[in-house]
Coordinates of all heavy atoms in Angstrom, one line a residue:
M1 N -149.4 204.5 161.1 CA -148.7 205.7 160.4 C -149.7 206.7 160.1 O -150.7 206.4 159.4 CB -147.8 205.3 159.3 CG -146.7 204.5 159.6 SD -145.4 204.6 158.3 CE -144.5 205.9 158.9
A2 N -149.5 207.8 160.4 CA -150.4 209.0 160.1 C -150.0 209.6 158.8 O -148.8 209.7 158.5 CB -150.5 210.0 161.2
Q3 N -151.0 210.0 158.0 CA -150.7 210.7 156.8 C -150.4 212.1 157.1 O -151.0 212.8 158.0 CB -152.0 210.7 155.8 CG -152.4 209.3 155.4 CD -151.5 208.9 154.3 OE1 -150.8 209.7 153.6 NE2 -151.2 207.5 154.1
P4 N -149.5 212.7 156.3 CA -149.2 214.1 156.6 C -150.4 215.0 156.3 O -151.1 214.8 155.2 CB -148.0 214.5 155.7 CG -148.0 213.4 154.7 CD -148.6 212.2 155.3
S5 N -150.7 215.9 157.1 CA -151.9 216.7 156.9 C -151.7 218.0 156.1 O -152.6 218.6 155.7 CB -152.5 217.1 158.3 OG -151.6 217.9 159.0
V6 N -150.4 218.3 155.9 CA -150.1 219.6 155.2 C -149.8 219.1 153.6 O -148.8 218.4 153.5 CB -149.0 220.3 155.8 CG1 -148.6 221.5 154.9 CG2 -149.3 220.7 157.2
A7 N -150.5 219.7 152.7 CA -150.3 219.4 151.4 C -149.1 220.4 150.8 O -149.1 221.5 151.4 CB -151.5 219.6 150.5
P8 N -148.3 219.9 149.9 CA -147.3 220.7 149.4 C -148.0 221.9 148.6 O -148.9 221.7 147.9 CB -146.5 219.9 148.5 CG -147.3 218.6 148.2 CD -148.3 218.5 149.4
T9 N -147.4 223.2 148.8 CA -148.1 224.3 148.3 C -147.1 224.9 147.2 O -147.6 225.8 146.5 CB -148.3 225.3 149.3 OG1 -147.2 225.6 150.0 CG2 -149.4 224.9 150.3
A10 N -145.9 224.4 147.1 CA -145.0 225.0 146.1 C -145.3 224.5 144.7 O -145.5 223.4 144.5 CB -143.6 224.7 146.4
T11 N -145.4 225.4 143.8 CA -145.7 225.0 142.4 C -144.6 225.7 141.5 O -144.1 226.7 141.8 CB -147.1 225.6 141.9 OG1 -147.1 227.1 142.1 CG2 -148.2 225.0 142.8
A12 N -144.3 224.9 140.5 CA -143.2 225.3 139.6 C -144.0 226.0 138.4 O -145.0 225.4 137.9 CB -142.4 224.2 139.2
E13 N -143.5 227.2 138.0 CA -144.1 227.8 136.9 C -143.1 227.7 135.7 O -141.9 227.9 135.9 CB -144.3 229.3 137.1 CG -145.4 229.6 138.0 CD -145.8 231.1 138.2 OE1 -145.5 231.8 137.2 OE2 -146.2 231.4 139.3
I14 N -143.7 227.3 134.6 CA -142.9 227.1 133.4 C -143.1 228.3 132.6 O -144.3 228.6 132.1 CB -143.2 225.8 132.6 CG1 -142.9 224.6 133.5 CG2 -142.4 225.8 131.3 CD1 -143.4 223.3 132.9
S15 N -142.1 229.2 132.3 CA -142.3 230.4 131.6 C -142.2 229.9 130.1 O -141.4 229.2 129.6 CB -141.3 231.5 132.0 OG -140.0 231.0 131.6
S16 N -142.9 230.6 129.2 CA -142.9 230.4 127.8 C -141.9 231.4 127.2 O -141.8 232.5 127.6 CB -144.2 230.5 127.2 OG -144.8 231.8 127.4
I17 N -141.2 231.0 126.2 CA -140.4 231.9 125.5 C -141.1 232.4 124.2 O -141.5 231.6 123.4 CB -139.0 231.2 125.1 CG1 -138.3 230.7 126.3 CG2 -138.1 232.0 124.3 CD1 -137.2 229.7 126.1
P18 N -141.2 233.7 124.1 CA -141.9 234.1 122.9 C -141.2 233.8 121.5 O -139.9 233.8 121.6 CB -141.9 235.7 123.1 CG -141.7 235.9 124.5 CD -140.8 234.7 124.9
L19 N -141.9 233.6 120.5 CA -141.4 233.2 119.2 C -140.4 234.3 118.7 O -139.5 234.1 118.1 CB -142.5 233.0 118.3 CG -142.1 232.5 116.9 CD1 -141.3 231.1 117.0 CD2 -143.3 232.3 116.0
R20 N -140.7 235.6 119.1 CA -139.9 236.7 118.5 C -138.5 236.6 119.2 O -137.5 237.1 118.5 CB -140.5 238.0 118.9 CG -141.7 238.4 118.1 CD -142.3 239.7 118.5 NE -143.5 240.1 117.8 CZ -143.5 240.9 116.7 NH1 -142.4 241.4 116.3 NH2 -144.7 241.2 116.1
Q21 N -138.3 236.1 120.3 CA -137.0 235.9 120.8 C -136.3 234.7 120.3 O -135.0 234.7 120.2 CB -137.0 235.8 122.4 CG -137.4 237.1 123.1 CD -137.4 236.9 124.5 OE1 -137.3 235.9 125.1 NE2 -137.8 238.0 125.2
I22 N -136.9 233.7 119.9 CA -136.4 232.4 119.4 C -136.0 232.5 117.9 O -134.9 232.0 117.5 CB -137.3 231.2 119.7 CG1 -137.4 231.0 121.1 CG2 -136.7 230.0 119.0 CD1 -138.3 229.9 121.5
A23 N -136.9 233.3 117.2 CA -136.7 233.2 115.7 C -135.3 233.6 115.2 O -134.8 233.0 114.3 CB -137.7 234.1 115.2
P24 N -134.6 234.7 115.7 CA -133.3 235.0 115.2 C -132.3 234.0 115.5 O -131.4 233.6 114.6 CB -132.9 236.3 115.9 CG -134.2 236.9 116.4 CD -135.1 235.8 116.6
W25 N -132.4 233.4 116.6 CA -131.4 232.4 117.0 C -131.7 231.0 116.2 O -130.8 230.3 115.8 CB -131.5 232.0 118.5 CG -131.0 233.1 119.3 CD1 -131.7 234.0 120.0 CD2 -129.6 233.4 119.4 NE1 -130.8 234.9 120.6 CE2 -129.6 234.6 120.4 CE3 -128.4 232.9 119.1 CZ2 -128.4 235.2 120.7 CZ3 -127.2 233.5 119.5 CH2 -127.2 234.6 120.3
A26 N -133.0 230.8 116.0 CA -133.3 229.5 115.1 C -132.8 229.8 113.7 O -132.2 228.8 113.1 CB -134.8 229.4 115.1
L27 N -132.9 231.0 113.1 CA -132.4 231.3 111.8 C -130.9 231.2 111.8 O -130.3 230.7 110.9 CB -132.9 232.7 111.4 CG -132.4 233.1 110.0 CD1 -133.0 232.2 109.0 CD2 -132.7 234.6 109.8
F28 N -130.2 231.7 112.8 CA -128.7 231.7 112.9 C -128.3 230.3 112.8 O -127.4 229.9 112.1 CB -128.2 232.5 114.0 CG -126.8 232.3 114.2 CD1 -125.9 233.0 113.5 CD2 -126.3 231.6 115.3 CE1 -124.5 232.8 113.7 CE2 -125.0 231.5 115.6 CZ -124.0 232.1 114.8
F29 N -128.7 229.4 113.8 CA -128.3 228.0 113.9 C -128.8 227.2 112.8 O -128.1 226.2 112.3 CB -128.8 227.4 115.2 CG -128.0 227.9 116.5 CD1 -128.5 228.8 117.4 CD2 -126.7 227.5 116.6 CE1 -127.7 229.3 118.4 CE2 -125.9 228.0 117.6 CZ -126.5 228.9 118.6
G30 N -129.8 227.6 112.1 CA -130.2 226.9 110.9 C -129.2 227.2 109.7 O -128.9 226.3 109.0
L31 N -128.8 228.5 109.6 CA -127.8 228.8 108.6 C -126.4 228.1 108.9 O -125.8 227.6 107.9 CB -127.7 230.2 108.5 CG -128.8 231.0 107.8 CD1 -128.6 232.5 107.9 CD2 -129.0 230.6 106.5
V32 N -126.1 228.0 110.2 CA -124.8 227.4 110.5 C -125.0 225.9 110.3 O -124.0 225.3 109.8 CB -124.4 227.6 112.1 CG1 -123.4 226.7 112.5 CG2 -124.1 229.1 112.2
A33 N -126.0 225.3 110.6 CA -126.3 223.9 110.2 C -126.3 223.6 108.7 O -125.6 222.6 108.3 CB -127.6 223.4 110.7
L34 N -126.8 224.4 107.9 CA -126.7 224.3 106.5 C -125.2 224.4 106.0 O -124.8 223.8 105.1 CB -127.6 225.3 105.8 CG -129.0 225.1 105.8 CD1 -129.8 226.2 105.1 CD2 -129.4 223.8 105.1
L35 N -124.5 225.3 106.6 CA -123.1 225.5 106.2 C -122.3 224.2 106.6 O -121.5 223.8 105.8 CB -122.5 226.7 106.9 CG -121.1 227.1 106.6 CD1 -121.0 227.6 105.1 CD2 -120.5 228.2 107.5
V36 N -122.5 223.8 107.7 CA -121.8 222.6 108.1 C -122.2 221.4 107.2 O -121.4 220.5 106.8 CB -122.1 222.1 109.7 CG1 -121.7 220.8 110.0 CG2 -121.4 223.1 110.5
L37 N -123.5 221.2 106.8 CA -124.0 220.2 106.1 C -123.4 220.3 104.6 O -123.1 219.3 104.0 CB -125.5 220.2 105.9 CG -126.2 219.1 105.2 CD1 -125.8 217.8 105.8 CD2 -127.6 219.2 105.0
F38 N -123.2 221.6 104.2 CA -122.5 221.8 102.9 C -121.1 221.3 102.9 O -120.7 220.5 102.0 CB -122.5 223.3 102.5 CG -121.6 223.6 101.3 CD1 -122.1 223.2 100.1 CD2 -120.3 224.1 101.5 CE1 -121.2 223.5 99.0 CE2 -119.5 224.4 100.5 CZ -119.9 224.1 99.2
F39 N -120.3 221.6 104.0 CA -118.9 221.2 104.0 C -118.8 219.6 104.3 O -117.9 219.1 103.7 CB -118.2 221.9 105.1 CG -117.8 223.2 104.7 CD1 -118.2 224.4 105.3 CD2 -116.8 223.4 103.8 CE1 -117.8 225.7 105.0 CE2 -116.4 224.7 103.3 CZ -116.8 225.7 104.0
V40 N -119.8 219.1 104.9 CA -119.8 217.6 105.1 C -120.2 216.8 103.7 O -119.5 215.9 103.4 CB -120.7 217.1 106.2 CG1 -120.9 215.7 106.3 CG2 -120.1 217.6 107.5
S41 N -121.2 217.4 103.1 CA -121.7 216.6 102.0 C -121.2 217.0 100.6 O -121.0 216.2 99.8 CB -123.2 216.8 102.0 OG -123.6 218.2 101.7
T42 N -120.9 218.4 100.4 CA -120.7 218.8 99.0 C -119.2 219.2 98.7 O -118.7 218.9 97.7 CB -121.7 220.0 98.6 OG1 -123.0 219.5 98.9 CG2 -121.6 220.3 97.2
D43 N -118.7 219.9 99.7 CA -117.3 220.4 99.4 C -116.3 219.2 99.3 O -116.5 218.2 99.8 CB -116.9 221.2 100.6 CG -115.8 222.1 100.3 OD1 -115.8 222.9 99.3 OD2 -114.8 222.1 100.9
Q44 N -115.4 219.4 98.4 CA -114.3 218.5 98.1 C -115.0 217.4 97.1 O -114.4 216.3 96.9 CB -113.7 217.8 99.3 CG -113.0 218.8 100.2 CD -111.9 219.5 99.5 OE1 -111.1 218.8 98.7 NE2 -111.7 220.7 99.9
G45 N -116.1 217.6 96.6 CA -116.7 216.8 95.6 C -116.6 217.5 94.3 O -115.5 217.7 93.8
A46 N -117.8 217.8 93.7 CA -117.8 218.4 92.4 C -117.4 219.9 92.6 O -116.8 220.6 91.7 CB -119.2 218.4 91.8
T47 N -117.6 220.5 93.8 CA -117.1 221.9 94.0 C -116.2 221.9 95.2 O -116.2 221.0 96.0 CB -118.4 222.7 94.4 OG1 -119.0 222.3 95.6 CG2 -119.4 222.8 93.3
S48 N -115.4 222.9 95.3 CA -114.5 223.0 96.4 C -114.2 224.5 96.7 O -113.8 225.2 95.9 CB -113.1 222.3 96.1 OG -112.3 222.5 97.1
V49 N -114.7 224.8 97.9 CA -114.5 226.2 98.3 C -113.1 226.5 98.7 O -112.5 227.5 98.4 CB -115.5 226.6 99.5 CG1 -115.2 228.0 100.0 CG2 -116.9 226.5 99.0
I50 N -112.5 225.6 99.5 CA -111.1 225.7 99.9 C -110.3 224.6 99.3 O -110.7 223.4 99.4 CB -111.1 225.6 101.5 CG1 -111.9 226.7 102.1 CG2 -109.6 225.8 102.0 CD1 -112.1 226.6 103.6
S51 N -109.2 224.9 98.6 CA -108.5 224.0 97.9 C -107.7 223.1 99.0 O -107.4 223.5 100.1 CB -107.5 224.6 96.9 OG -106.6 225.4 97.6
G52 N -107.4 221.9 98.5 CA -106.7 221.0 99.5 C -107.6 220.0 100.0 O -108.8 220.0 99.7
T53 N -107.1 219.2 100.9 CA -107.9 218.1 101.5 C -108.2 218.3 102.9 O -108.7 217.4 103.6 CB -107.2 216.7 101.3 OG1 -106.0 216.8 102.0 CG2 -107.0 216.4 99.8
A54 N -107.9 219.5 103.5 CA -108.0 219.8 105.0 C -109.5 219.6 105.3 O -109.9 218.9 106.3 CB -107.6 221.1 105.3
I55 N -110.5 220.2 104.6 CA -111.9 220.1 104.9 C -112.4 218.7 104.8 O -113.1 218.2 105.7 CB -112.7 221.0 104.1 CG1 -112.3 222.5 104.3 CG2 -114.2 220.9 104.3 CD1 -112.6 223.0 105.5
H56 N -112.0 218.0 103.7 CA -112.4 216.6 103.5 C -111.9 215.8 104.7 O -112.7 215.0 105.3 CB -111.8 216.1 102.2 CG -112.1 214.7 102.0 ND1 -113.3 214.4 101.3 CD2 -111.5 213.5 102.3 CE1 -113.3 213.0 101.2 NE2 -112.3 212.5 101.8
E57 N -110.7 215.9 105.1 CA -110.2 215.0 106.2 C -110.9 215.4 107.6 O -111.1 214.6 108.4 CB -108.7 215.2 106.3 CG -107.9 214.8 105.1 CD -108.1 213.2 104.9 OE1 -108.3 212.5 105.9 OE2 -108.1 212.9 103.8
W58 N -111.2 216.7 107.6 CA -111.7 217.2 109.0 C -113.2 216.6 109.1 O -113.6 216.3 110.2 CB -111.8 218.7 108.8 CG -111.5 219.3 110.2 CD1 -110.6 218.8 111.1 CD2 -112.2 220.4 110.8 NE1 -110.6 219.8 112.1 CE2 -111.5 220.7 112.0 CE3 -113.2 221.3 110.3 CZ2 -111.9 221.7 112.8 CZ3 -113.5 222.4 111.1 CH2 -112.9 222.6 112.4
V59 N -114.0 216.5 108.0 CA -115.4 216.0 108.1 C -115.5 214.6 107.6 O -116.7 214.1 107.3 CB -116.4 217.0 107.4 CG1 -116.3 218.2 108.0 CG2 -116.0 217.1 106.0
H60 N -114.5 213.9 107.4 CA -114.5 212.6 106.8 C -115.4 211.6 107.5 O -116.2 210.9 106.8 CB -113.0 212.0 106.6 CG -113.0 210.9 105.8 ND1 -112.5 209.6 106.3 CD2 -113.3 210.6 104.5 CE1 -112.6 208.8 105.3 NE2 -113.0 209.4 104.2
D61 N -115.3 211.5 108.7 CA -116.0 210.6 109.6 C -117.6 211.0 109.5 O -118.4 210.0 109.4 CB -115.6 210.5 111.1 CG -114.3 209.9 111.1 OD1 -113.8 209.1 110.2 OD2 -113.6 210.1 112.1
G62 N -117.8 212.3 109.5 CA -119.2 212.7 109.4 C -119.8 212.3 108.0 O -121.1 212.0 107.9
R63 N -119.0 212.4 107.0 CA -119.4 212.1 105.6 C -119.8 210.6 105.6 O -120.9 210.3 105.1 CB -118.3 212.4 104.7 CG -118.6 212.2 103.2 CD -117.5 212.5 102.3 NE -117.2 214.0 102.6 CZ -116.9 214.9 101.6 NH1 -116.9 214.5 100.4 NH2 -116.6 216.1 101.9
H64 N -119.0 209.7 106.1 CA -119.4 208.3 106.2 C -120.5 208.0 107.1 O -121.4 207.2 106.8 CB -118.1 207.4 106.7 CG -117.1 207.3 105.6 ND1 -117.2 206.2 104.7 CD2 -116.0 208.0 105.2 CE1 -116.2 206.3 103.8 NE2 -115.5 207.4 104.2
L65 N -120.6 208.8 108.2 CA -121.8 208.5 109.1 C -123.1 208.8 108.4 O -124.1 208.1 108.6 CB -121.5 209.4 110.3 CG -122.6 209.3 111.4 CD1 -122.6 207.9 112.1 CD2 -122.5 210.4 112.4
L66 N -123.1 209.9 107.7 CA -124.3 210.3 107.0 C -124.6 209.7 105.7 O -125.6 209.8 105.1 CB -124.3 211.9 106.8 CG -124.3 212.6 108.1 CD1 -124.2 214.1 107.8 CD2 -125.6 212.4 108.9
G67 N -123.7 208.9 105.3 CA -123.9 208.0 104.0 C -123.6 208.7 102.8 O -124.1 208.3 101.7
Y68 N -122.8 209.8 102.8 CA -122.4 210.5 101.5 C -121.3 209.7 100.9 O -120.5 209.1 101.5 CB -122.1 211.9 101.8 CG -123.1 212.8 102.2 CD1 -123.3 213.2 103.5 CD2 -124.0 213.2 101.3 CE1 -124.3 214.0 103.9 CE2 -125.1 214.0 101.6 CZ -125.2 214.4 102.9 OH -126.3 215.3 103.2
P69 N -121.4 209.6 99.5 CA -120.3 208.9 98.8 C -119.0 209.6 99.1 O -118.9 210.8 99.0 CB -120.8 209.0 97.3 CG -121.7 210.1 97.3 CD -122.4 210.2 98.6
C70 N -118.0 208.9 99.3 CA -116.6 209.4 99.6 C -115.5 208.7 98.8 O -115.0 209.4 97.9 CB -116.4 209.2 101.0 SG -114.9 209.9 101.7
H71 N -115.2 207.6 99.1 CA -114.1 206.9 98.3 C -114.6 205.4 98.2 O -115.4 204.9 98.8 CB -112.8 207.0 99.0 CG -112.8 206.7 100.5 ND1 -112.7 205.4 100.9 CD2 -113.0 207.5 101.5 CE1 -112.7 205.3 102.2 NE2 -112.9 206.6 102.6
Ligands
LIG1 ZN1 -114.1 208.3 103.1

């Protein structure tokens, strides 16, 4: 068997994403994550933004998954 004499010439370029483009999205998703974490961990506890048990029931499994005291 003969070895192929032509070496592959195609190269893949990985473009970098500037920090200035990522920073607003990172801040936005960070704030959304904090809001979700607040509703999972704190709401329906000592404080309650929305009255009723809808939020509690909605995030109940997440609360147990993350180990927050529930019932
Ligand atoms: Zn529970």
Side-chain angles (χ1 to χ4, degrees):
M1 292 202 92
Q3 294 286 332
S5 61
V6 178
T9 57
T11 58
E13 289 188 28
I14 300 173
S15 62
S16 62
I17 302 173
L19 184 61
R20 286 180 184 261
Q21 289 182 358
I22 293 177
W25 291 102
L27 180 65
F28 172 72
F29 284 110
L31 289 175
V32 169
L34 284 177
L35 186 66
V36 169
L37 186 63
F38 168 76
F39 279 115
V40 170
S41 66
T42 307
D43 198 53
Q44 300 296 323
T47 62
S48 180
V49 174
I50 301 170
S51 63
T53 59
I55 298 294
H56 179 88
E57 295 299 328
W58 220 40
V59 297
H60 189 240
D61 292 341
R63 186 177 300 223
H64 281 270
L65 178 69
L66 295 174
Y68 289 106
C70 182
H71 53 83

